[in-house]
Amino acid sequence: MLGSQRRTHILETLRREGQALAGALARELDVSEDTIRRDMRDMAAQGLLKRVHGGALPVAPDLPDLGLRRGVAHAEKAALGARAAALIRPGQMVFLDGGTTTAEIVRHLRRDSALTVATHSPTIAAELEHHPLVEVILIGGRLYRHSMVSVGAAAMQAIDAIRPDIFFLGVTAAHPRHGLSTGDFEEATIKRHILSASVETYVAVTAAKLDAVSPCRIAPLDAITGLIVPAGIAAERLVAYREAGVAVIEG
């Protein structure tokens, strides 16, 4: 088998399984483990995967700070925001996570929507300035500046006092086997806490976040109500997500 064919197979294994074990691949492809490890080293140097002991993991999207993310995949995020906003019903309590895709949900809310919106993101709260019928509950705590959200004990205590009808959860990666994840341990904890307090949870993800794994796990896919993905994603790429027990909504 050619080296390019081995590397394609390694990437497909990562996409499907969420990990690639050097020993298993060597047996499967009838080559030495050293050959697979050399392939993985070369692929890691190209940014195609992350080397770990015994094999490799997918590379999660490398997300810059919030201000720099605002211009990334804007049209895709706007379409996801519109699809997510259509799920909201008048009178509901909606919890909005931080992030640029979540900001697009706010921008697609009708100005005459009568809602209660809870958020631990001051930037999301500011987006609601011109929605006079929306009551805003801003959750405080220690500010995690990378995502501009409150985290910590004070935020968790405030979340305990509410019961949102619907939560729009932001993640940095989604994978059919490894679930939903993000880059910071404390942020993952607060996201998981909001999820557990909410009746329904939806996650809107750009195509770049699919089939990826970030260091800190939030929840398995079957813990959420629905995954909102961009229109036009290949049907076979979504099969494993549906088999994992989550409704997939194309935006």
Side-chain angles (χ1 to χ4, degrees), residues 76-88 96 101-102 105 166-171 174 180 200-210 221 224-233 238 241-242 246-251:
E76 191 177 35
K77 293 175 184 177
L80 291 171
R83 186 66 185 88
L87 298 172
I88 299 172
L96 296 178
T101 303
T102 309
I105 298 175
I166 187 168
F167 170 36
F168 290 99
L169 165 64
V171 304
L180 307 161
E200 295 184 335
T201 297
Y202 291 88
V203 179
V205 289
T206 57
K209 294 181 180 180
L210 289 172
L221 282 176
I224 65 172
T225 310
L227 187 70
I228 307 171
V229 303
I233 298 285
L238 301 175
Y241 291 90
R242 293 190 169 99
V246 65
V248 178
I249 303 166
E250 296 188 57

mmCIF file of all heavy atoms in Angstrom, residues 76-88 96 101-102 105 166-171 174 180 200-210 221 224-233 238 241-242 246-251:
data_model
loop_
_atom_site.group_PDB
_atom_site.id
_atom_site.type_symbol
_atom_site.label_atom_id
_atom_site.label_comp_id
_atom_site.label_asym_id
_atom_site.label_seq_id
_atom_site.Cartn_x
_atom_site.Cartn_y
_atom_site.Cartn_z
ATOM 1 N N GLU A 76 -22.107 30.706 7.276
ATOM 2 C CA GLU A 76 -22.497 29.405 7.827
ATOM 3 C C GLU A 76 -23.124 29.579 9.211
ATOM 4 O O GLU A 76 -24.161 28.995 9.521
ATOM 5 C CB GLU A 76 -21.262 28.509 7.898
ATOM 6 C CG GLU A 76 -21.568 27.049 8.193
ATOM 7 C CD GLU A 76 -20.297 26.206 8.181
ATOM 8 O OE1 GLU A 76 -19.228 26.702 8.596
ATOM 9 O OE2 GLU A 76 -20.382 25.046 7.740
ATOM 10 N N LYS A 77 -22.509 30.410 10.035
ATOM 11 C CA LYS A 77 -23.024 30.656 11.384
ATOM 12 C C LYS A 77 -24.377 31.377 11.337
ATOM 13 O O LYS A 77 -25.260 31.098 12.149
ATOM 14 C CB LYS A 77 -22.020 31.472 12.196
ATOM 15 C CG LYS A 77 -20.738 30.727 12.513
ATOM 16 C CD LYS A 77 -19.741 31.630 13.203
ATOM 17 C CE LYS A 77 -18.419 30.938 13.451
ATOM 18 N NZ LYS A 77 -17.425 31.845 14.070
ATOM 19 N N ALA A 78 -24.523 32.296 10.394
ATOM 20 C CA ALA A 78 -25.795 33.016 10.271
ATOM 21 C C ALA A 78 -26.931 32.059 9.929
ATOM 22 O O ALA A 78 -28.034 32.157 10.481
ATOM 23 C CB ALA A 78 -25.681 34.110 9.215
ATOM 24 N N ALA A 79 -26.672 31.109 9.026
ATOM 25 C CA ALA A 79 -27.701 30.126 8.668
ATOM 26 C C ALA A 79 -28.039 29.233 9.853
ATOM 27 O O ALA A 79 -29.213 28.914 10.109
ATOM 28 C CB ALA A 79 -27.218 29.286 7.495
ATOM 29 N N LEU A 80 -27.027 28.836 10.619
ATOM 30 C CA LEU A 80 -27.266 28.027 11.813
ATOM 31 C C LEU A 80 -28.056 28.816 12.847
ATOM 32 O O LEU A 80 -28.967 28.282 13.498
ATOM 33 C CB LEU A 80 -25.932 27.577 12.418
ATOM 34 C CG LEU A 80 -25.119 26.555 11.623
ATOM 35 C CD1 LEU A 80 -23.729 26.394 12.242
ATOM 36 C CD2 LEU A 80 -25.830 25.212 11.566
ATOM 37 N N GLY A 81 -27.724 30.098 12.998
ATOM 38 C CA GLY A 81 -28.448 30.937 13.944
ATOM 39 C C GLY A 81 -29.910 31.077 13.597
ATOM 40 O O GLY A 81 -30.778 31.035 14.476
ATOM 41 N N ALA A 82 -30.195 31.234 12.301
ATOM 42 C CA ALA A 82 -31.588 31.355 11.858
ATOM 43 C C ALA A 82 -32.355 30.069 12.140
ATOM 44 O O ALA A 82 -33.508 30.097 12.597
ATOM 45 C CB ALA A 82 -31.635 31.689 10.377
ATOM 46 N N ARG A 83 -31.721 28.920 11.881
ATOM 47 C CA ARG A 83 -32.403 27.634 12.113
ATOM 48 C C ARG A 83 -32.642 27.415 13.591
ATOM 49 O O ARG A 83 -33.697 26.910 14.007
ATOM 50 C CB ARG A 83 -31.550 26.492 11.542
ATOM 51 C CG ARG A 83 -32.236 25.131 11.612
ATOM 52 C CD ARG A 83 -33.448 25.111 10.697
ATOM 53 N NE ARG A 83 -34.213 23.876 10.811
ATOM 54 C CZ ARG A 83 -35.197 23.677 11.691
ATOM 55 N NH1 ARG A 83 -35.518 24.645 12.545
ATOM 56 N NH2 ARG A 83 -35.855 22.540 11.720
ATOM 57 N N ALA A 84 -31.683 27.781 14.420
ATOM 58 C CA ALA A 84 -31.834 27.628 15.863
ATOM 59 C C ALA A 84 -32.920 28.552 16.406
ATOM 60 O O ALA A 84 -33.754 28.141 17.225
ATOM 61 C CB ALA A 84 -30.508 27.905 16.558
ATOM 62 N N ALA A 85 -32.926 29.797 15.962
ATOM 63 C CA ALA A 85 -33.919 30.761 16.445
ATOM 64 C C ALA A 85 -35.338 30.308 16.129
ATOM 65 O O ALA A 85 -36.277 30.608 16.884
ATOM 66 C CB ALA A 85 -33.647 32.134 15.835
ATOM 67 N N ALA A 86 -35.500 29.568 15.028
ATOM 68 C CA ALA A 86 -36.834 29.089 14.648
ATOM 69 C C ALA A 86 -37.383 28.045 15.621
ATOM 70 O O ALA A 86 -38.584 27.760 15.614
ATOM 71 C CB ALA A 86 -36.783 28.495 13.239
ATOM 72 N N LEU A 87 -36.523 27.488 16.467
ATOM 73 C CA LEU A 87 -36.964 26.491 17.445
ATOM 74 C C LEU A 87 -37.551 27.118 18.709
ATOM 75 O O LEU A 87 -38.181 26.430 19.511
ATOM 76 C CB LEU A 87 -35.780 25.598 17.846
ATOM 77 C CG LEU A 87 -35.145 24.766 16.730
ATOM 78 C CD1 LEU A 87 -33.869 24.100 17.251
ATOM 79 C CD2 LEU A 87 -36.119 23.714 16.222
ATOM 80 N N ILE A 88 -37.343 28.416 18.879
ATOM 81 C CA ILE A 88 -37.774 29.105 20.097
ATOM 82 C C ILE A 88 -39.244 29.486 19.985
ATOM 83 O O ILE A 88 -39.699 29.966 18.954
ATOM 84 C CB ILE A 88 -36.906 30.361 20.329
ATOM 85 C CG1 ILE A 88 -35.433 29.946 20.496
ATOM 86 C CG2 ILE A 88 -37.388 31.133 21.541
ATOM 87 C CD1 ILE A 88 -34.472 31.118 20.526
ATOM 88 N N LEU A 96 -28.749 31.041 26.598
ATOM 89 C CA LEU A 96 -27.813 31.178 25.488
ATOM 90 C C LEU A 96 -26.380 31.121 25.992
ATOM 91 O O LEU A 96 -25.976 31.905 26.856
ATOM 92 C CB LEU A 96 -28.045 32.503 24.758
ATOM 93 C CG LEU A 96 -29.405 32.672 24.072
ATOM 94 C CD1 LEU A 96 -29.499 34.055 23.444
ATOM 95 C CD2 LEU A 96 -29.630 31.589 23.027
ATOM 96 N N THR A 101 -21.566 31.812 17.090
ATOM 97 C CA THR A 101 -22.758 31.191 16.508
ATOM 98 C C THR A 101 -23.985 31.527 17.342
ATOM 99 O O THR A 101 -25.062 31.807 16.801
ATOM 100 C CB THR A 101 -22.579 29.661 16.407
ATOM 101 O OG1 THR A 101 -21.409 29.376 15.629
ATOM 102 C CG2 THR A 101 -23.784 29.014 15.745
ATOM 103 N N THR A 102 -23.838 31.526 18.661
ATOM 104 C CA THR A 102 -24.951 31.895 19.535
ATOM 105 C C THR A 102 -25.376 33.342 19.304
ATOM 106 O O THR A 102 -26.571 33.656 19.347
ATOM 107 C CB THR A 102 -24.568 31.685 21.011
ATOM 108 O OG1 THR A 102 -24.052 30.366 21.176
ATOM 109 C CG2 THR A 102 -25.777 31.868 21.919
ATOM 110 N N ILE A 105 -27.912 33.560 16.746
ATOM 111 C CA ILE A 105 -29.274 33.209 17.177
ATOM 112 C C ILE A 105 -29.999 34.470 17.630
ATOM 113 O O ILE A 105 -31.158 34.712 17.256
ATOM 114 C CB ILE A 105 -29.230 32.164 18.314
ATOM 115 C CG1 ILE A 105 -28.572 30.875 17.835
ATOM 116 C CG2 ILE A 105 -30.646 31.887 18.840
ATOM 117 C CD1 ILE A 105 -28.388 29.832 18.924
ATOM 118 N N ILE A 166 -35.100 25.766 27.036
ATOM 119 C CA ILE A 166 -34.239 25.390 25.926
ATOM 120 C C ILE A 166 -32.867 26.035 26.113
ATOM 121 O O ILE A 166 -32.777 27.203 26.513
ATOM 122 C CB ILE A 166 -34.891 25.790 24.572
ATOM 123 C CG1 ILE A 166 -34.107 25.269 23.388
ATOM 124 C CG2 ILE A 166 -35.115 27.281 24.490
ATOM 125 C CD1 ILE A 166 -34.867 25.402 22.065
ATOM 126 N N PHE A 167 -31.831 25.268 25.880
ATOM 127 C CA PHE A 167 -30.453 25.739 26.036
ATOM 128 C C PHE A 167 -29.732 25.547 24.706
ATOM 129 O O PHE A 167 -29.758 24.471 24.119
ATOM 130 C CB PHE A 167 -29.763 24.921 27.141
ATOM 131 C CG PHE A 167 -28.267 25.119 27.278
ATOM 132 C CD1 PHE A 167 -27.674 26.354 27.078
ATOM 133 C CD2 PHE A 167 -27.452 24.047 27.642
ATOM 134 C CE1 PHE A 167 -26.302 26.534 27.214
ATOM 135 C CE2 PHE A 167 -26.082 24.206 27.781
ATOM 136 C CZ PHE A 167 -25.499 25.450 27.572
ATOM 137 N N PHE A 168 -29.096 26.608 24.228
ATOM 138 C CA PHE A 168 -28.266 26.520 23.034
ATOM 139 C C PHE A 168 -26.811 26.470 23.488
ATOM 140 O O PHE A 168 -26.237 27.472 23.901
ATOM 141 C CB PHE A 168 -28.549 27.685 22.093
ATOM 142 C CG PHE A 168 -29.908 27.589 21.460
ATOM 143 C CD1 PHE A 168 -30.974 28.320 21.957
ATOM 144 C CD2 PHE A 168 -30.141 26.723 20.398
ATOM 145 C CE1 PHE A 168 -32.239 28.214 21.400
ATOM 146 C CE2 PHE A 168 -31.405 26.607 19.831
ATOM 147 C CZ PHE A 168 -32.457 27.349 20.335
ATOM 148 N N LEU A 169 -26.267 25.282 23.424
ATOM 149 C CA LEU A 169 -24.933 24.973 23.933
ATOM 150 C C LEU A 169 -23.889 25.189 22.848
ATOM 151 O O LEU A 169 -24.043 24.721 21.719
ATOM 152 C CB LEU A 169 -24.917 23.512 24.406
ATOM 153 C CG LEU A 169 -23.571 22.829 24.652
ATOM 154 C CD1 LEU A 169 -22.826 23.500 25.799
ATOM 155 C CD2 LEU A 169 -23.790 21.350 24.955
ATOM 156 N N GLY A 170 -22.818 25.882 23.193
ATOM 157 C CA GLY A 170 -21.708 26.070 22.271
ATOM 158 C C GLY A 170 -20.578 25.091 22.570
ATOM 159 O O GLY A 170 -20.245 24.856 23.732
ATOM 160 N N VAL A 171 -19.990 24.502 21.525
ATOM 161 C CA VAL A 171 -18.891 23.551 21.688
ATOM 162 C C VAL A 171 -17.798 23.888 20.684
ATOM 163 O O VAL A 171 -18.016 24.616 19.718
ATOM 164 C CB VAL A 171 -19.374 22.094 21.475
ATOM 165 C CG1 VAL A 171 -20.533 21.766 22.410
ATOM 166 C CG2 VAL A 171 -19.779 21.837 20.024
ATOM 167 N N ALA A 174 -17.459 18.182 17.979
ATOM 168 C CA ALA A 174 -18.510 17.170 18.128
ATOM 169 C C ALA A 174 -18.066 15.910 17.402
ATOM 170 O O ALA A 174 -17.587 15.982 16.268
ATOM 171 C CB ALA A 174 -19.828 17.680 17.548
ATOM 172 N N LEU A 180 -19.519 15.698 22.792
ATOM 173 C CA LEU A 180 -19.318 17.136 22.683
ATOM 174 C C LEU A 180 -18.191 17.563 23.610
ATOM 175 O O LEU A 180 -18.131 17.130 24.765
ATOM 176 C CB LEU A 180 -20.610 17.863 23.057
ATOM 177 C CG LEU A 180 -21.841 17.389 22.280
ATOM 178 C CD1 LEU A 180 -23.117 17.782 23.001
ATOM 179 C CD2 LEU A 180 -21.821 17.913 20.852
ATOM 180 N N GLU A 200 -34.566 21.120 27.302
ATOM 181 C CA GLU A 200 -34.041 20.704 26.007
ATOM 182 C C GLU A 200 -32.721 21.417 25.750
ATOM 183 O O GLU A 200 -32.522 22.557 26.193
ATOM 184 C CB GLU A 200 -35.017 21.054 24.878
ATOM 185 C CG GLU A 200 -36.342 20.309 24.926
ATOM 186 C CD GLU A 200 -37.211 20.633 23.719
ATOM 187 O OE1 GLU A 200 -37.041 21.731 23.130
ATOM 188 O OE2 GLU A 200 -38.058 19.806 23.357
ATOM 189 N N THR A 201 -31.828 20.745 25.016
ATOM 190 C CA THR A 201 -30.544 21.346 24.660
ATOM 191 C C THR A 201 -30.253 21.086 23.192
ATOM 192 O O THR A 201 -30.349 19.941 22.721
ATOM 193 C CB THR A 201 -29.403 20.776 25.518
ATOM 194 O OG1 THR A 201 -29.624 21.111 26.893
ATOM 195 C CG2 THR A 201 -28.058 21.348 25.080
ATOM 196 N N TYR A 202 -29.893 22.150 22.477
ATOM 197 C CA TYR A 202 -29.504 22.042 21.073
ATOM 198 C C TYR A 202 -28.085 22.582 20.905
ATOM 199 O O TYR A 202 -27.676 23.532 21.592
ATOM 200 C CB TYR A 202 -30.457 22.833 20.175
ATOM 201 C CG TYR A 202 -31.839 22.231 20.091
ATOM 202 C CD1 TYR A 202 -32.824 22.575 21.015
ATOM 203 C CD2 TYR A 202 -32.159 21.298 19.108
ATOM 204 C CE1 TYR A 202 -34.096 22.016 20.959
ATOM 205 C CE2 TYR A 202 -33.421 20.734 19.036
ATOM 206 C CZ TYR A 202 -34.381 21.089 19.960
ATOM 207 O OH TYR A 202 -35.629 20.528 19.893
ATOM 208 N N VAL A 203 -27.359 21.976 19.987
ATOM 209 C CA VAL A 203 -25.990 22.401 19.694
ATOM 210 C C VAL A 203 -25.889 22.706 18.209
ATOM 211 O O VAL A 203 -26.151 21.836 17.364
ATOM 212 C CB VAL A 203 -24.972 21.301 20.066
ATOM 213 C CG1 VAL A 203 -23.559 21.754 19.718
ATOM 214 C CG2 VAL A 203 -25.078 20.950 21.545
ATOM 215 N N ALA A 204 -25.539 23.938 17.872
ATOM 216 C CA ALA A 204 -25.330 24.336 16.473
ATOM 217 C C ALA A 204 -23.833 24.326 16.193
ATOM 218 O O ALA A 204 -23.060 24.996 16.890
ATOM 219 C CB ALA A 204 -25.918 25.723 16.219
ATOM 220 N N VAL A 205 -23.417 23.553 15.187
ATOM 221 C CA VAL A 205 -21.989 23.418 14.898
ATOM 222 C C VAL A 205 -21.693 23.677 13.420
ATOM 223 O O VAL A 205 -22.438 23.239 12.548
ATOM 224 C CB VAL A 205 -21.453 22.020 15.281
ATOM 225 C CG1 VAL A 205 -21.389 21.849 16.779
ATOM 226 C CG2 VAL A 205 -22.271 20.905 14.644
ATOM 227 N N THR A 206 -20.618 24.379 13.165
ATOM 228 C CA THR A 206 -20.142 24.533 11.796
ATOM 229 C C THR A 206 -19.515 23.218 11.336
ATOM 230 O O THR A 206 -19.172 22.355 12.144
ATOM 231 C CB THR A 206 -19.109 25.658 11.705
ATOM 232 O OG1 THR A 206 -18.041 25.372 12.615
ATOM 233 C CG2 THR A 206 -19.723 27.006 12.069
ATOM 234 N N ALA A 207 -19.338 23.074 10.036
ATOM 235 C CA ALA A 207 -18.795 21.827 9.485
ATOM 236 C C ALA A 207 -17.405 21.520 10.033
ATOM 237 O O ALA A 207 -17.050 20.353 10.227
ATOM 238 C CB ALA A 207 -18.749 21.923 7.960
ATOM 239 N N ALA A 208 -16.614 22.559 10.322
ATOM 240 C CA ALA A 208 -15.249 22.353 10.807
ATOM 241 C C ALA A 208 -15.206 21.695 12.186
ATOM 242 O O ALA A 208 -14.181 21.118 12.565
ATOM 243 C CB ALA A 208 -14.517 23.687 10.849
ATOM 244 N N LYS A 209 -16.298 21.784 12.937
ATOM 245 C CA LYS A 209 -16.308 21.217 14.284
ATOM 246 C C LYS A 209 -16.776 19.766 14.325
ATOM 247 O O LYS A 209 -16.677 19.108 15.372
ATOM 248 C CB LYS A 209 -17.212 22.069 15.195
ATOM 249 C CG LYS A 209 -16.679 23.471 15.435
ATOM 250 C CD LYS A 209 -17.601 24.258 16.358
ATOM 251 C CE LYS A 209 -17.082 25.659 16.601
ATOM 252 N NZ LYS A 209 -17.973 26.436 17.510
ATOM 253 N N LEU A 210 -17.288 19.267 13.218
ATOM 254 C CA LEU A 210 -17.744 17.878 13.167
ATOM 255 C C LEU A 210 -16.558 16.925 13.058
ATOM 256 O O LEU A 210 -15.536 17.252 12.443
ATOM 257 C CB LEU A 210 -18.670 17.667 11.974
ATOM 258 C CG LEU A 210 -20.061 18.311 12.060
ATOM 259 C CD1 LEU A 210 -20.780 18.166 10.725
ATOM 260 C CD2 LEU A 210 -20.884 17.691 13.182
ATOM 261 N N LEU A 221 -23.452 12.583 22.980
ATOM 262 C CA LEU A 221 -24.445 13.122 22.061
ATOM 263 C C LEU A 221 -25.872 12.850 22.516
ATOM 264 O O LEU A 221 -26.770 13.673 22.321
ATOM 265 C CB LEU A 221 -24.238 12.547 20.657
ATOM 266 C CG LEU A 221 -23.098 13.143 19.839
ATOM 267 C CD1 LEU A 221 -22.956 12.399 18.529
ATOM 268 C CD2 LEU A 221 -23.306 14.628 19.586
ATOM 269 N N ILE A 224 -28.184 15.419 24.538
ATOM 270 C CA ILE A 224 -28.809 16.626 23.997
ATOM 271 C C ILE A 224 -30.034 16.257 23.167
ATOM 272 O O ILE A 224 -30.225 15.112 22.784
ATOM 273 C CB ILE A 224 -27.821 17.462 23.159
ATOM 274 C CG1 ILE A 224 -27.388 16.707 21.900
ATOM 275 C CG2 ILE A 224 -26.610 17.856 24.007
ATOM 276 C CD1 ILE A 224 -26.573 17.547 20.927
ATOM 277 N N THR A 225 -30.835 17.268 22.888
ATOM 278 C CA THR A 225 -32.070 17.065 22.112
ATOM 279 C C THR A 225 -31.784 17.021 20.623
ATOM 280 O O THR A 225 -32.371 16.222 19.892
ATOM 281 C CB THR A 225 -33.064 18.195 22.419
ATOM 282 O OG1 THR A 225 -33.188 18.334 23.838
ATOM 283 C CG2 THR A 225 -34.422 17.911 21.798
ATOM 284 N N GLY A 226 -30.912 17.911 20.151
ATOM 285 C CA GLY A 226 -30.662 17.973 18.719
ATOM 286 C C GLY A 226 -29.334 18.631 18.386
ATOM 287 O O GLY A 226 -28.832 19.475 19.136
ATOM 288 N N LEU A 227 -28.773 18.215 17.255
ATOM 289 C CA LEU A 227 -27.544 18.781 16.711
ATOM 290 C C LEU A 227 -27.914 19.506 15.427
ATOM 291 O O LEU A 227 -28.481 18.917 14.505
ATOM 292 C CB LEU A 227 -26.553 17.653 16.420
ATOM 293 C CG LEU A 227 -25.142 18.031 15.987
ATOM 294 C CD1 LEU A 227 -24.370 18.639 17.159
ATOM 295 C CD2 LEU A 227 -24.407 16.799 15.458
ATOM 296 N N ILE A 228 -27.623 20.806 15.360
ATOM 297 C CA ILE A 228 -27.950 21.623 14.194
ATOM 298 C C ILE A 228 -26.693 21.773 13.350
ATOM 299 O O ILE A 228 -25.669 22.280 13.835
ATOM 300 C CB ILE A 228 -28.490 23.000 14.612
ATOM 301 C CG1 ILE A 228 -29.665 22.846 15.591
ATOM 302 C CG2 ILE A 228 -28.919 23.805 13.398
ATOM 303 C CD1 ILE A 228 -30.115 24.156 16.214
ATOM 304 N N VAL A 229 -26.753 21.313 12.112
ATOM 305 C CA VAL A 229 -25.574 21.308 11.236
ATOM 306 C C VAL A 229 -25.884 22.088 9.964
ATOM 307 O O VAL A 229 -27.050 22.277 9.601
ATOM 308 C CB VAL A 229 -25.158 19.861 10.888
ATOM 309 C CG1 VAL A 229 -24.875 19.057 12.143
ATOM 310 C CG2 VAL A 229 -26.223 19.168 10.041
ATOM 311 N N PRO A 230 -24.860 22.540 9.259
ATOM 312 C CA PRO A 230 -25.101 23.290 8.023
ATOM 313 C C PRO A 230 -25.777 22.425 6.960
ATOM 314 O O PRO A 230 -25.542 21.220 6.873
ATOM 315 C CB PRO A 230 -23.687 23.694 7.574
ATOM 316 C CG PRO A 230 -22.843 23.593 8.793
ATOM 317 C CD PRO A 230 -23.422 22.487 9.600
ATOM 318 N N ALA A 231 -26.603 23.039 6.142
ATOM 319 C CA ALA A 231 -27.198 22.348 5.008
ATOM 320 C C ALA A 231 -26.092 21.937 4.035
ATOM 321 O O ALA A 231 -25.084 22.634 3.888
ATOM 322 C CB ALA A 231 -28.200 23.253 4.302
ATOM 323 N N GLY A 232 -26.286 20.782 3.406
ATOM 324 C CA GLY A 232 -25.329 20.346 2.407
ATOM 325 C C GLY A 232 -24.256 19.407 2.912
ATOM 326 O O GLY A 232 -23.426 18.944 2.124
ATOM 327 N N ILE A 233 -24.241 19.104 4.223
ATOM 328 C CA ILE A 233 -23.299 18.105 4.735
ATOM 329 C C ILE A 233 -23.646 16.750 4.112
ATOM 330 O O ILE A 233 -24.816 16.373 4.030
ATOM 331 C CB ILE A 233 -23.388 17.998 6.274
ATOM 332 C CG1 ILE A 233 -23.001 19.331 6.928
ATOM 333 C CG2 ILE A 233 -22.516 16.870 6.794
ATOM 334 C CD1 ILE A 233 -21.545 19.640 6.928
ATOM 335 N N LEU A 238 -23.295 12.079 8.383
ATOM 336 C CA LEU A 238 -24.196 12.301 9.515
ATOM 337 C C LEU A 238 -24.789 11.016 10.075
ATOM 338 O O LEU A 238 -25.417 11.042 11.134
ATOM 339 C CB LEU A 238 -25.324 13.247 9.086
ATOM 340 C CG LEU A 238 -24.890 14.627 8.593
ATOM 341 C CD1 LEU A 238 -26.098 15.411 8.098
ATOM 342 C CD2 LEU A 238 -24.162 15.401 9.694
ATOM 343 N N TYR A 241 -23.844 10.127 13.658
ATOM 344 C CA TYR A 241 -24.432 11.014 14.665
ATOM 345 C C TYR A 241 -25.860 10.577 14.979
ATOM 346 O O TYR A 241 -26.263 10.534 16.155
ATOM 347 C CB TYR A 241 -24.398 12.464 14.172
ATOM 348 C CG TYR A 241 -22.991 13.026 14.115
ATOM 349 C CD1 TYR A 241 -22.217 12.896 12.967
ATOM 350 C CD2 TYR A 241 -22.430 13.637 15.233
ATOM 351 C CE1 TYR A 241 -20.924 13.378 12.919
ATOM 352 C CE2 TYR A 241 -21.139 14.122 15.193
ATOM 353 C CZ TYR A 241 -20.388 13.992 14.047
ATOM 354 O OH TYR A 241 -19.093 14.460 14.008
ATOM 355 N N ARG A 242 -26.619 10.249 13.954
ATOM 356 C CA ARG A 242 -27.992 9.773 14.181
ATOM 357 C C ARG A 242 -27.959 8.441 14.942
ATOM 358 O O ARG A 242 -28.794 8.216 15.843
ATOM 359 C CB ARG A 242 -28.721 9.641 12.865
ATOM 360 C CG ARG A 242 -28.977 10.988 12.172
ATOM 361 C CD ARG A 242 -29.912 10.858 10.976
ATOM 362 N NE ARG A 242 -30.344 12.156 10.511
ATOM 363 C CZ ARG A 242 -29.826 12.818 9.483
ATOM 364 N NH1 ARG A 242 -28.816 12.273 8.799
ATOM 365 N NH2 ARG A 242 -30.278 14.002 9.125
ATOM 366 N N VAL A 246 -28.947 11.075 18.593
ATOM 367 C CA VAL A 246 -29.307 12.494 18.596
ATOM 368 C C VAL A 246 -30.039 12.844 17.303
ATOM 369 O O VAL A 246 -29.725 12.306 16.231
ATOM 370 C CB VAL A 246 -28.037 13.382 18.748
ATOM 371 C CG1 VAL A 246 -27.128 13.241 17.562
ATOM 372 C CG2 VAL A 246 -28.414 14.841 18.967
ATOM 373 N N ALA A 247 -31.031 13.729 17.399
ATOM 374 C CA ALA A 247 -31.712 14.232 16.204
ATOM 375 C C ALA A 247 -30.776 15.212 15.497
ATOM 376 O O ALA A 247 -30.189 16.088 16.133
ATOM 377 C CB ALA A 247 -33.004 14.928 16.592
ATOM 378 N N VAL A 248 -30.619 15.045 14.208
ATOM 379 C CA VAL A 248 -29.765 15.932 13.419
ATOM 380 C C VAL A 248 -30.672 16.847 12.591
ATOM 381 O O VAL A 248 -31.484 16.383 11.795
ATOM 382 C CB VAL A 248 -28.815 15.137 12.498
ATOM 383 C CG1 VAL A 248 -27.980 16.090 11.648
ATOM 384 C CG2 VAL A 248 -27.910 14.237 13.334
ATOM 385 N N ILE A 249 -30.491 18.145 12.792
ATOM 386 C CA ILE A 249 -31.320 19.149 12.108
ATOM 387 C C ILE A 249 -30.418 19.908 11.150
ATOM 388 O O ILE A 249 -29.422 20.503 11.564
ATOM 389 C CB ILE A 249 -31.946 20.124 13.132
ATOM 390 C CG1 ILE A 249 -32.778 19.353 14.167
ATOM 391 C CG2 ILE A 249 -32.786 21.186 12.433
ATOM 392 C CD1 ILE A 249 -33.154 20.179 15.377
ATOM 393 N N GLU A 250 -30.754 19.879 9.889
ATOM 394 C CA GLU A 250 -29.920 20.566 8.906
ATOM 395 C C GLU A 250 -30.411 22.012 8.722
ATOM 396 O O GLU A 250 -31.589 22.263 8.545
ATOM 397 C CB GLU A 250 -29.939 19.816 7.580
ATOM 398 C CG GLU A 250 -29.321 18.416 7.703
ATOM 399 C CD GLU A 250 -29.161 17.735 6.371
ATOM 400 O OE1 GLU A 250 -28.490 18.308 5.492
ATOM 401 O OE2 GLU A 250 -29.699 16.624 6.223
ATOM 402 N N GLY A 251 -29.450 22.939 8.792
ATOM 403 C CA GLY A 251 -29.786 24.348 8.715
ATOM 404 C C GLY A 251 -29.485 24.923 7.361
ATOM 405 O O GLY A 251 -29.597 26.119 7.149
#
